Amino acid sequence: MSTPENLPGWTHAYSGKVRDLFVPATAAGLGDAETVLMVASDRVSAFDHVLEPGIPGKGELLTSLSLWWFGQLEVPNHLVAGEIPAAVAGRSMLTRRLDMHPIECVVRGYLTGSGWKEYVAEGTVCGIPLPAGLQDGDRLPEPLFTPAWKAPLGEHDENISFERAVELVGRETAEALRDASLAIFARASELAEARGVILADTKFEFGADPVTGELTLADEVLTSDSSRYWDAAAYASGATPQERMASFDKQIVRDWLAANWDQQGTPPELPAEIVERTADRYRVLIRRLLD
Ligand code: ATP
Ligand code: MG
């Protein structure tokens, strides 16, 4: 795994699967810092494992996408103005350090992935009953808020019911997280569709401003790591689920890994062709959305 860089004036505070977090050298740690520098690496994760090698340029693409979306969405977000070290410019965001809610706010407009698996087994998604006869990739009658509990590093995030989310963060916060997630998803889907892209599902993270308590959109937002994006034209004309779900995200990586690894031990190295195809799809998505 790539090691976080040495940035004068900043202390490395945490590394997630994809990003490295730094706090000002004057802060005692992540918990008491006012700002956080979030540096996106080229690391790629699937099934909660970091894979080798990374996807060249991915950190930069993800950062551009996040920044663009933050600008489109009219909700409070964690970006703050300030100087970003030149060594990590282009793939870093300067953010306000928030008290993060331990919930991944997943919204699904279409049925696939772990939602599809649960539907096949139980006829539900995160406990929400759905009509019979749906196929992999079908549009849901309406977008669903299907939260997950954010597991500590090394453990798998766990799909939970809304009532479980209420137990974890309280009813008021759980409802605010749900309402904000659904509203942002609706707005983002509209914007993406106008550009020929389907936003199938995504995950938001929110935190509370440590001073005002305001619910604030954090983390990366609507990137090809946190979302499934499909080509709208392929979706409309495709005959099979594979043709319909021509994706602009890391589904290529997930599919390759699912076919070539039994999810025991260390994942195999990604072939150059998979790396290149994934990088290419990320670039196409950026062009579609930002141009
Ligand atoms: P993955 O997203 O693949 O599950 P991860 O969650 O382990 O990986 P990263 O996404 O690599 O970690 O790192 C980002 C970390 O920073 C996450 O733990 C996220 O909750 C946290 N975070 C995001 N925004 C803020 C913020 N404004 N203040 C404090 N922490 C934040
Ligand atoms: Mg994350």
Side-chain angles (χ1 to χ4, degrees):
M1 191 159 127
S2 55
T3 46
E5 30 283 291
N6 194 3
L7 301 175
W10 295 88
T11 306
H12 173 245
Y14 174 81
S15 286
K17 288 183 286 292
V18 172
R19 274 142 326 135
D20 302 313
L21 270 46
F22 296 81
V23 294
T26 47
L30 196 53
D32 99 327
E34 228 172 272
T35 55
V36 181
L37 180 68
M38 300 190 59
V39 180
S41 71
D42 289 347
R43 298 192 290 269
V44 60
S45 75
F47 307 117
D48 286 330
H49 284 264
V50 177
L51 308 172
E52 293 291 346
I55 311 285
K58 175 173 177 283
E60 210 160 304
L61 288 164
L62 255 55
T63 302
S64 313
L65 210 44
S66 266
L67 292 173
W68 183 78
W69 275 115
F70 277 125
Q72 301 296 313
L73 303 168
E74 284 153 2
V75 295
N77 68 55
H78 66 161
L79 295 180
V80 292
E83 209 178 315
I84 290 181
V88 293
R91 55 190 183 90
S92 306
M93 300 189 299
L94 196 60
T95 68
R96 181 184 319 283
R97 201 271 308 164
L98 303 172
D99 296 325
M100 297 299 290
H101 296 301
I103 305 262
E104 309 231 314
C105 295
V106 178
V107 182
R108 299 167 194 271
Y110 291 72
L111 183 62
T112 192
S114 67
W116 166 246
K117 274 197 201 124
E118 182 185 324
Y119 174 78
V120 170
E122 329 259 349
T124 56
V125 172
C126 286
I128 303 166
L130 292 177
L134 295 177
Q135 301 297 314
D136 191 7
D138 275 359
R139 186 177 192 146
L140 292 164
E142 60 184 350
L144 298 178
F145 178 65
T146 59
W149 178 68
K150 219 177 137 48
L153 197 62
E155 291 173 43
H156 292 283
D157 297 341
E158 181 192 327
N159 285 350
I160 56 174
S161 66
F162 183 71
E163 283 313 312
R164 180 75 190 121
V166 169
E167 285 169 20
L168 289 167
V169 296
R171 183 163 300 276
E172 197 185 331
T173 300
E175 286 178 355
L177 290 172
R178 178 194 62 198
D179 295 351
S181 299
L182 289 170
I184 298 168
F185 185 84
R187 169 87 183 116
S189 306
E190 216 176 81
L191 277 169
E193 251 168 77
R195 291 162 171 80
V197 176
I198 290 175
L199 173 62
D201 57 36
T202 196
K203 174 207 80 175
F204 304 111
E205 287 187 37
F206 295 86
D209 184 296
V211 179
T212 64
E214 183 175 45
L215 187 74
T216 306
L217 183 58
D219 208 51
E220 60 181 337
V221 66
L222 295 156
T223 69
S224 29
D225 261 10
S226 65
S227 321
R228 285 193 175 86
Y229 283 109
W230 301 335
D231 182 282
Y235 186 85
S237 65
T240 64
Q242 287 70 26
E243 285 166 7
R244 288 205 298 169
M245 295 184 273
S247 70
F248 293 119
D249 50 56
K250 62 183 181 188
Q251 195 62 38
I252 300 164
V253 172
R254 288 194 201 99
D255 290 348
W256 183 86
L257 206 58
N260 292 281
W261 183 46
D262 59 4
Q263 302 211 23
Q264 306 296 316
T266 311
E269 201 156 299
L270 297 172
E273 186 241 347
I274 296 295
V275 171
E276 191 34 56
R277 266 172 55 207
T278 305
D280 184 61
R281 296 304 281 174
Y282 280 31
R283 288 192 288 263
V284 175
L285 176 69
I286 286 268
R287 282 204 297 276
R288 285 268 190 108
L289 291 178
L290 273 62
D291 282 359

